[in-house]
Amino acid sequence: MKPAPFDYVRAHSVDEAVRTLAEADGDGKILAGGQSLMPVLALRMARPRVLVDVNRIPGLATITPTGSDVRLGALVRHARLVEQPHHPLLAEAARWIGHTAIRSRGTSGGSIAHADPSAELPVVAAALEATVHIAGPGGTRAETATSFFAGPLETTLAEDEMITAVDLPVPSRWGFAEFSRRHGDFGLVLVVAAEVAGRWRLAIGGVGGVPLRPAEAEQLLNDGAEVDAVAAAAAAETQPQSDIHASADYRRAMTAEFVRRALASHGKRAAA
Amino acid sequence: MKAEFSVNGTRCDIDVEPRRTLADALREDLGLTGTHLGCEHGVCGACTVLVDGEPVRACLMLAVQADGCSVSTVEGLAAEDGTLHPLQEAFCAKHGLQCGFCTPGMLMTALDLLDREPAPGRERIREEMSGNICRCTGYVGVVDAVEAAAQELNPR
């Protein structure tokens, strides 16, 4: 199918992009990589009046190590994440995003803004308590990933705001494990374990509306509990739904297994 | 809206509605019907082309976004005298197709793979080609063909 007609504005600055969004009065959409938005337009599940193409805004495609964090510009393509040496967890997670032709266009900011709870970057952002930098007509603000993800495909981003960058702490140790039917599919269950400033955090995708942080499992992990106990606690904290891809029970069982695998893999992946 | 880009080295100027996808512009406005449209929402890979050297789903990119870019399509694979590219030869020799509809996307994806990795193993080829769906399920010939083309292009 083909998208419904829209006005196309190529923004050359963040200010121009948010101003154009504001002028669209709630009926505008940011177009970055387009790997999620374009299918939605083609299926006519969305028919915005204005598309604001941000791909040509200079300075948003940089990866910058800043002390203990890495700052990702909103326009960093997934393919660049795979190659960069500054954040090994991001490199591994990005390898699991779609296929090469998707990774060459899809962007970090777009993936965070789209907030698919079974996509890789939102789960990594949740585990690392990433800081999302946001620009709007009234200026800029920053928000933690935990509060930014509000529901399935839902964030606190206002209609006239755009993400400009995301700060992600570099974990000292980490593990990543994803289960999908075929490589490149969305994860049925994906687990990120990350040790930041001496404390382990867990985030689980695919088992709820937003990336889940299982508080009890994290506590057990930091108290030195056995991996099996952590995995069981994490599974017990999920409330997955059944759908055509997997039943809730299956997802819960896979959560326990993939928490185990993420934790088993971390030893080999201590930051250099 | 005007867009100006090169396709297989030839400069093209088009005037299209913003909602025109790059795939439709190639086919409808430029007459390059080698790029095929399957699912039209980024799943099947039949419309894969290279934009500035990187593989892209042409159904997930607007034609106006290609302004100033360099696009490579399946029409640009063969030499000017009609000699087929080693990948095309290998797809013929190894029967890397059944109905052939998905073949243009398969070729462009394989071209990108062999550009980045001169000697991928069969597992790697499968992983990289898995974003291209063949509804006839003729995948074994495709893997054979990409493997043979790799050996032809980069003999060890």
Side-chain angles (χ1 to χ4, degrees):
Chain A
M1 277 176 65
K2 314 294 178 190
F6 48 76
D7 290 335
Y8 171 88
V9 177
R10 185 178 294 146
H12 297 281
S13 69
V14 171
D15 283 351
E16 186 187 352
V18 296
R19 197 171 59 242
T20 310
L21 280 180
E23 285 163 8
D25 201 19
D27 210 1
K29 271 279 184 196
I30 296 256
L31 172 63
Q35 302 302 290
S36 300
L37 178 60
M38 286 290 292
V40 168
L41 297 179
L43 297 167
R44 300 205 179 190
M45 289 157 70
R47 1 183 5 150
R49 189 164 56 80
V50 181
L51 275 197
V52 185
D53 185 348
V54 296
N55 283 284
R56 308 270 173 122
I57 298 179
L60 291 186
T62 52
I63 302 173
T64 319
T66 55
S68 58
D69 288 8
V70 165
R71 174 164 293 186
L72 287 187
L75 283 178
V76 172
R77 315 278 166 183
H78 305 321
R80 298 289 89 79
L81 285 186
V82 177
E83 298 160 358
Q84 54 77 36
H86 308 292
H87 202 300
L89 164 56
L90 267 179
E92 173 66 15
R95 214 175 61 74
W96 289 77
I97 302 174
H99 301 98
T100 307
I102 306 290
R103 294 193 291 271
S104 67
R105 290 289 295 167
T107 66
S108 302
S111 182
I112 299 289
H114 189 57
D116 189 316
S118 56
E120 288 78 6
L121 292 189
V123 182
V124 171
L128 295 176
E129 294 176 6
T131 303
V132 184
H133 294 277
I134 297 162
T140 59
R141 65 185 181 95
E143 190 167 351
T144 66
T146 318
S147 63
F148 181 75
F149 297 121
L153 309 183
E154 197 185 333
T155 71
T156 60
L157 204 62
E159 285 166 343
D160 53 4
E161 288 183 321
M162 73 172 275
I163 294 175
T164 54
V166 182
D167 287 342
L168 297 129
V170 182
S172 48
R173 290 185 292 172
W174 57 273
F176 178 91
E178 173 168 335
F179 173 65
S180 53
R181 297 286 290 272
R182 292 163 306 184
H183 187 88
D185 285 0
F186 281 104
L188 286 179
V189 172
L190 56 156
V191 178
V192 174
E195 188 192 45
V196 177
R199 277 195 70 80
W200 279 96
R201 299 138 168 200
L202 290 169
I204 308 169
V207 292
V210 296
L212 176 81
R213 289 283 299 277
E216 194 182 325
E218 283 188 3
Q219 188 60 50
L220 286 169
L221 182 57
N222 283 303
D223 290 344
E226 294 289 328
V227 166
D228 282 347
V230 176
E237 287 180 80
T238 64
Q239 291 184 322
Q241 294 192 336
S242 297
D243 61 22
I244 55 166
H245 302 295
S247 69
D249 284 346
Y250 184 72
R251 277 196 158 91
R252 203 173 285 115
M254 294 307 265
T255 299
E257 175 56 23
F258 278 71
V259 166
R260 254 182 236 115
R261 292 189 190 188
L263 291 173
S265 69
H266 80 76
K268 287 173 284 188
R269 287 167 172 166
Chain B
M1 192 169 176
K2 290 193 188 309
E4 183 186 318
F5 48 89
S6 79
V7 180
N8 304 323
T10 304
R11 199 186 121 156
C12 302
D13 295 287
I14 54 170
D15 192 357
V16 292
E17 265 193 281
R19 64 169 164 160
R20 186 76 121 183
T21 64
L22 176 59
D24 279 333
L26 290 169
R27 293 178 56 84
E28 309 286 335
D29 300 294
L30 299 171
L32 295 168
T33 53
T35 299
H36 285 180
L37 277 160
C39 70
E40 298 194 49
H41 60 273
V43 175
C44 78
C47 66
T48 305
V49 299
L50 304 185
V51 175
D52 290 339
E54 299 211 60
V56 159
R57 302 275 201 249
C59 73
L60 295 189
M61 185 169 171
L62 301 171
V64 292
Q65 291 186 289
D67 188 65
C69 295
S70 158
V71 180
S72 306
T73 71
V74 69
E75 284 92 346
L77 272 185
E80 279 193 15
D81 66 358
T83 307
L84 293 181
H85 186 279
L87 260 172
Q88 292 170 304
E89 286 288 357
F91 270 69
C92 295
K94 301 291 183 184
H95 201 67
L97 55 137
Q98 288 188 37
C99 83
F101 187 85
C102 65
T103 307
M106 292 275 186
L107 286 167
M108 301 313 284
T109 300
L111 185 70
D112 167 65
L113 168 61
L114 297 186
D115 184 43
R116 286 180 289 119
E117 296 183 34
R122 289 182 71 84
E123 266 311 297
R124 186 78 187 113
I125 293 171
R126 282 186 182 280
E127 185 183 331
E128 284 283 326
M129 300 304 294
S130 66
N132 291 70
I133 294 172
C134 165
R135 289 300 185 195
C136 316
T137 70
Y139 296 108
V140 173
V142 169
V143 177
D144 290 347
V146 177
E147 191 180 38
Q151 282 160 10
E152 169 75 19
L153 286 162
N154 304 288
R156 271 162 286 179

